[in-house]
């Protein structure tokens, strides 16, 4: 069952994000940042959102998206800069070793906020399913493709915003072979490969 992101399940999506994608910049800032700033402000944006997949009442996968990434992150920098800075300072006080993740997160938000000549502003921000629920054994037993259902759900939400094309970034490393194959099987095309925030990324583009 897929449920939209809401104030009631922010803690669950933050847990999944940190558990499934622990090396990503946002999860490295910790639960406080995701609970107090990242997901509440993503939820507050009229053209962004997220969803969770529940199996037997347990959250097992999530996805987040925005119809306009540059606008979303510009607003965070300029209109909500004080709150953003406050949460990052509190994160640093709580965990002095978070200096590098904070720098990476600031760079992420800054890069996303810039106007570009690239016409694709809609983006899948984060996406993941717990390993045991994306296995062949789980599918054979339950006949549920969790990742596929979440991905199609996010696409339908973006389409409601009038989006025609969207993009996402995934790592080029061997550990990410499966995600790259997944996006290709979803009909997405590789736009380019480049270095983003310190890692080699594949940028995929999809049609709606």
């Amino acid at each position: 069952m897929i449920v939209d992101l809401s104030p009631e399940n922010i803690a669950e999506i933050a847990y999944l994000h940190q558990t499934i994608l622990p090396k990503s910049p946002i999860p490295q800032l910790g639960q406080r940042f995701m609970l107090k700033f990242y997901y509440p402000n993503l939820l507050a944006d009229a053209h962004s959102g997220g969803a969770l997949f529940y199996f037997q009442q347990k959250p097992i996968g999530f996805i987040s998206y925005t119809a306009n990434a540059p606008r979303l992150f510009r607003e965070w920098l300029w209109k909500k800069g004080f709150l953003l800075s406050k949460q990052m300072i509190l994160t640093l006080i709580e965990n002095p070793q978070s200096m590098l993740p904070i720098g990476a997160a600031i760079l992420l938000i800054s890069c996303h906020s810039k106007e570009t000549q690239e016409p694709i502003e809609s983006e899948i921000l984060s996406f993941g399913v717990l390993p045991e629920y994306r296995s062949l054994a789980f599918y054979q037993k339950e006949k549920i493709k969790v990742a596929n259902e979440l991905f199609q759900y996010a696409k339908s939400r973006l389409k409601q915003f009038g989006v025609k094309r969207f993009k996402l970034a995934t790592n080029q490393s061997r550990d990410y072979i499966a995600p790259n194959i997944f996006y290709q099987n979803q009909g997405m095309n590789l736009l380019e490969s480049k270095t983003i925030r310190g890692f080699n990324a594949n940028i995929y583009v999809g049609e709606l």
Side-chain angles (χ1 to χ4, degrees), residues 7-26:
E8 288 72 30
N9 58 31
I10 281 179
E12 292 175 325
I13 198 170
Y15 166 78
L16 288 172
H17 196 165
Q18 191 164 51
T19 300
I20 300 169
L21 303 171
K23 295 182 180 180
S24 297
I26 298 303

Side-chain angles (χ1 to χ4, degrees), residues 70-129:
R71 182 202 53 75
L72 172 68
F73 289 107
R74 278 199 305 274
E75 180 173 302
W76 286 9
L77 281 176
W78 302 115
K79 293 184 179 181
K80 300 183 179 181
F82 174 77
L83 292 176
L84 177 62
S85 299
K86 176 183 175 182
Q87 290 305 321
M88 287 187 170
I89 290 171
L90 289 173
T91 296
L92 185 60
I93 292 173
E94 189 175 78
N95 180 14
Q97 296 181 346
S98 63
M99 177 65 76
L100 287 178
I102 286 175
I106 292 172
L107 183 60
L108 180 153
I109 294 172
S110 178
C111 289
H112 275 75
S113 70
K114 295 178 180 178
E115 292 284 2
T116 67
Q117 295 181 348
E118 189 177 281
I120 308 169
E121 296 180 330
S122 303
E123 186 171 349
I124 300 294
L125 299 171
S126 302
F127 175 34
V129 177

Side-chain angles (χ1 to χ4, degrees), residues 42-177:
L42 187 69
L43 179 61
D45 185 74
H47 296 92
S48 304
L52 297 91
F53 195 105
Y54 289 84
F55 177 72
Q56 296 180 346
Q57 300 184 333
K58 175 184 177 180
I60 62 172
F62 80 102
I63 195 165
S64 60
Y65 53 85
T66 179
N68 192 321
R71 182 202 53 75
L72 172 68
F73 289 107
R74 278 199 305 274
E75 180 173 302
W76 286 9
L77 281 176
W78 302 115
K79 293 184 179 181
K80 300 183 179 181
F82 174 77
L83 292 176
L84 177 62
S85 299
K86 176 183 175 182
Q87 290 305 321
M88 287 187 170
I89 290 171
L90 289 173
T91 296
L92 185 60
I93 292 173
E94 189 175 78
N95 180 14
Q97 296 181 346
S98 63
M99 177 65 76
L100 287 178
I102 286 175
I106 292 172
L107 183 60
L108 180 153
I109 294 172
S110 178
C111 289
H112 275 75
S113 70
K114 295 178 180 178
E115 292 284 2
T116 67
Q117 295 181 348
E118 189 177 281
I120 308 169
E121 296 180 330
S122 303
E123 186 171 349
I124 300 294
L125 299 171
S126 302
F127 175 34
V129 177
L130 292 172
E132 59 268 36
Y133 297 99
R134 56 177 186 256
S135 67
L136 179 60
F138 176 76
Y139 171 69
Q140 290 176 333
K141 180 180 180 182
E142 304 295 341
K143 300 297 186 290
I144 301 173
K145 295 182 178 180
V146 180
N148 184 69
E149 291 192 25
L150 277 170
F151 195 69
Q152 295 302 321
Y153 187 82
K155 286 173 61 177
S156 71
R157 287 299 194 186
L158 288 174
K159 194 171 184 178
Q160 290 176 4
F161 294 130
V163 170
K164 302 297 183 184
R165 303 174 76 199
F166 68 100
K167 64 183 177 182
L168 57 83
T170 186
N171 203 303
Q172 293 179 25
S173 75
R174 292 186 177 182
D175 292 339
Y176 288 79
I177 290 176

